[in-house]
Amino acid sequence: MTTVSKEQKRIGIIGAGPGGLTLALILQRQGIQSVVYERELHDTSHERGGTLDIHEESGQRALKEAGLLEEFQRIARFEEEDFRVLDKNAKIYVDEDSEAESGGAGTRPEIDRGVLCDLLLRDLDQGTIKYGYKLVKAVPLENGMTELHFENGTVDTIDLLIGADGAFSRVRPLLTDADVDYSGLTMIELNILNAAQNHPELAAFNKRGKMFALDDHKGILGQLNGDGRIKVYASLKVERNWLETSGIPFDQPKEAKERLLDLFSDWDEQLKDYIRYAEDAILTRRIYMLPIGFKWNYNPGVTLIGDAAHVMSPFAGEGVNMAMYDALELALAIARNRDDYAKAILEYEEKMYAFSSVKAQESDYSLQLTFSDNAAAKLAELMQSFQEQFEDQ
Ligand SMILES: Cc1cc2nc3c(=O)[nH]c(=O)nc-3n(C[C@H](O)[C@H](O)[C@H](O)COP(=O)(O)OP(=O)(O)OC[C@H]3O[C@@H](n4cnc5c(N)ncnc54)[C@H](O)[C@@H]3O)c2cc1C
């Protein structure tokens, strides 16, 4: 158990996603207590999101500071970094085999979101997280504190408020009028369970990692997860309200799959198997982003981390890494300025703005390229030029 001095001001973190959990854990290791308020009634991270790759320079640095790097390295999947890029005729443009190229010791190991959250939760002091606390309103008080109003009727007052509550943050409106924008991309999430046993040909085709089939401004993306499923994202450049206007009954998977197959009718049959073989419920996701380089008005008692601060499209694989890196920078800034949270926020925000705007730019560039004309060929060229730059160094 961490001992906490009586004078410590109250720190409230909204959201127990990867960002909020990493922040609470690093603070705890610095002897600083916080309370994490999570809207879900219990941990539901297993139900949300697929495999993430955790980068050495950001996510892994945060895990190191949280004392979890060794355990992470033990459970992460270093051998599942294969990457294939194809067009709609299944012509292959990129075929990276992580085992052959790095002996299975890549720098971007994979971990499922739920497993990552379990790892972070394991070492947090009991009672740090309050489940069933959905923030509905945060009210600034004259003394600089913030009053938190929760849907369950509770009201709490804290000195430092950190919004780690994702893309649709309820904390963000305290700092800015800016809001997220629809990126133009809608993703339909499907699951092929036990792919190796149930559909060995498709599992072999997908290989151990990711498969991106891109053409006609759309995509079928496959991603092997740690529990043996292939998570599939049928991705479409469509109007924001397409989910409603398409008339596809996404709550009736059998019919919805037929309708989705119609949208990819001239695509290779094996690529269409990614939709045909899917079981389970279908999830729909509109992809949102904040403006690149977005900054808010400085407030000495409130800040944001992760998607709440800079939600970006998932096409540079940076979202979770940025959330954890923000958590690291903010926790260390608070630890350096224990009596002056206002200074801690200034130090953190300066670094975060510089770092995240570069990543947001990269993500946006990747998104545009992935759904442009001849996308498979362009992505292959881009990867080739990265490879040549790397070899020249
Ligand atoms: C389809 C898709 C694929 C992705 N793939 C990748 C990838 O490959 N690599 C990658 O790095 N990133 C990826 N991302 C992005 C990544 O999932 C996010 O960037 C990351 O989860 C952000 O972490 P976070 O902690 O900031 O927010 P979140 O993970 O969104 O967590 C926010 C938490 O706050 C809680 N919350 C929300 N509102 C409230 C409230 N009012 N009161 C209390 N609690 C609240 C939520 O329940 C949740 O637990 C992907 C995203 C999508 C949509």
Side-chain angles (χ1 to χ4, degrees):
M1 257 318 223
T2 317
T3 45
V4 180
S5 78
K6 284 214 175 75
E7 302 85 54
Q8 193 205 301
K9 292 183 174 174
R10 299 197 70 211
I11 300 177
I13 301 168
I14 310 295
L21 291 175
T22 307
L23 176 61
L25 188 54
I26 301 179
L27 285 173
Q28 178 184 296
R29 280 175 57 91
Q30 297 286 337
I32 301 169
Q33 200 178 47
S34 62
V35 179
V36 182
Y37 302 92
E38 168 58 46
R39 69 178 167 194
E40 302 293 339
L41 293 174
H42 57 95
D43 176 38
T44 56
S45 42
H46 278 284
E47 295 153 30
R48 287 185 279 126
T51 287
L52 305 162
D53 45 64
I54 305 298
H55 304 171
E56 218 171 357
E57 68 285 3
S58 46
Q60 289 184 45
R61 277 175 69 185
L63 285 170
K64 185 164 184 224
E65 200 62 43
L68 292 173
L69 189 59
E70 275 182 24
E71 183 60 9
F72 166 77
Q73 284 169 337
R74 200 179 64 74
I75 58 178
R77 308 193 310 276
F78 284 82
E79 68 291 353
E80 291 184 2
E81 297 179 46
D82 295 352
F83 186 43
R84 313 190 90 185
V85 179
L86 302 89
D87 66 12
K88 68 178 178 184
N89 301 312
K91 178 178 169 194
I92 297 172
Y93 290 79
V94 174
D95 200 2
E96 282 187 355
D97 183 326
S98 57
E99 186 68 39
E101 282 163 30
S102 64
T107 55
R108 298 197 157 189
E110 309 270 333
I111 191 166
D112 289 1
R113 188 182 186 277
V115 179
L116 175 69
C117 289
D118 281 351
L119 185 67
L120 293 162
L121 277 167
R122 198 194 59 182
D123 284 0
L124 264 183
D125 286 345
Q126 270 217 319
T128 304
I129 305 186
K130 292 190 172 195
Y131 287 106
Y133 278 70
K134 178 176 180 182
L135 182 75
V136 284
K137 196 168 62 168
V139 182
L141 301 178
E142 275 184 8
N143 62 3
M145 297 178 82
T146 307
E147 203 170 68
L148 305 177
H149 295 250
F150 296 96
E151 200 176 59
N152 62 15
T154 311
V155 177
D156 244 344
T157 307
I158 47 148
D159 295 281
L160 173 58
L161 171 61
I162 298 152
D165 50 344
F168 304 100
S169 172
R170 292 282 174 104
V171 178
R172 197 191 299 124
L174 282 183
L175 301 169
T176 177
D177 292 334
D179 203 355
V180 291
D181 253 343
Y182 174 58
S183 68
L185 187 74
T186 291
M187 298 173 93
I188 320 296
E189 184 178 322
L190 306 126
N191 290 286
I192 300 173
L193 306 177
N194 293 319
Q197 285 84 24
N198 298 344
H199 304 287
E201 277 170 34
L202 191 69
F205 178 82
N206 191 82
K207 298 178 70 179
R208 295 190 305 169
K210 297 189 188 86
M211 185 290 308
F212 278 22
L214 307 170
D215 228 324
D216 302 338
H217 308 259
K218 28 187 198 204
I220 296 176
L221 319 180
Q223 174 199 68
L224 181 64
N225 280 208
D227 63 359
R229 79 180 60 205
I230 296 178
K231 204 168 259 300
V232 181
Y233 296 101
S235 307
L236 304 161
K237 285 286 276 245
V238 285
E239 296 289 312
R240 191 192 171 285
N241 61 355
W242 177 84
L243 288 170
E244 293 80 28
T245 58
S246 69
I248 300 179
F250 289 105
D251 55 346
Q252 296 165 44
K254 201 159 172 275
E255 198 187 332
K257 285 198 309 177
E258 290 303 320
R259 301 281 305 276
L260 280 175
L261 284 167
D262 290 344
L263 296 175
F264 292 92
S265 59
D266 60 340
W267 286 46
D268 178 82
E269 291 303 315
Q270 196 151 27
L271 295 174
K272 285 195 277 188
D273 285 345
Y274 278 89
I275 296 172
R276 266 186 210 116
Y277 293 163
E279 303 165 57
D280 216 0
I282 296 181
L283 287 177
T284 56
R285 296 177 186 275
R286 290 187 186 96
I287 302 300
Y288 288 91
M289 54 196 278
L290 276 163
I292 296 165
F294 160 69
K295 293 184 180 181
W296 55 83
N297 301 321
Y298 169 72
N299 177 322
V302 185
T303 194
L304 306 172
I305 66 169
D307 278 6
H310 42 58
V311 62
M312 53 187 87
S313 86
F315 285 90
E318 291 288 358
V320 80
N321 287 287
M322 289 295 90
M324 294 170 75
Y325 192 66
D326 290 351
L328 165 70
E329 288 291 355
L330 180 57
L332 296 184
I334 293 172
R336 284 193 301 272
N337 301 283
R338 286 167 198 251
D339 302 323
D340 191 353
Y341 290 162
K343 184 156 178 264
I345 293 180
L346 265 182
E347 286 183 14
Y348 154 71
E349 288 178 355
E350 195 183 331
K351 284 192 185 164
M352 181 272 296
Y353 287 138
F355 199 65
S356 67
S357 61
V358 174
K359 299 297 176 188
Q361 193 99 46
E362 284 173 18
S363 286
D364 191 49
Y365 180 74
S366 262
L367 170 71
Q368 302 310 334
L369 187 137
T370 304
F371 296 96
S372 62
D373 292 330
N374 304 319
K378 284 186 195 156
L379 191 54
E381 268 170 39
L382 182 72
M383 291 179 67
Q384 180 66 29
S385 75
F386 281 153
Q387 182 65 26
E388 283 165 10
Q389 277 172 28
F390 181 71
E391 283 165 4
D392 285 348
Q393 280 170 10

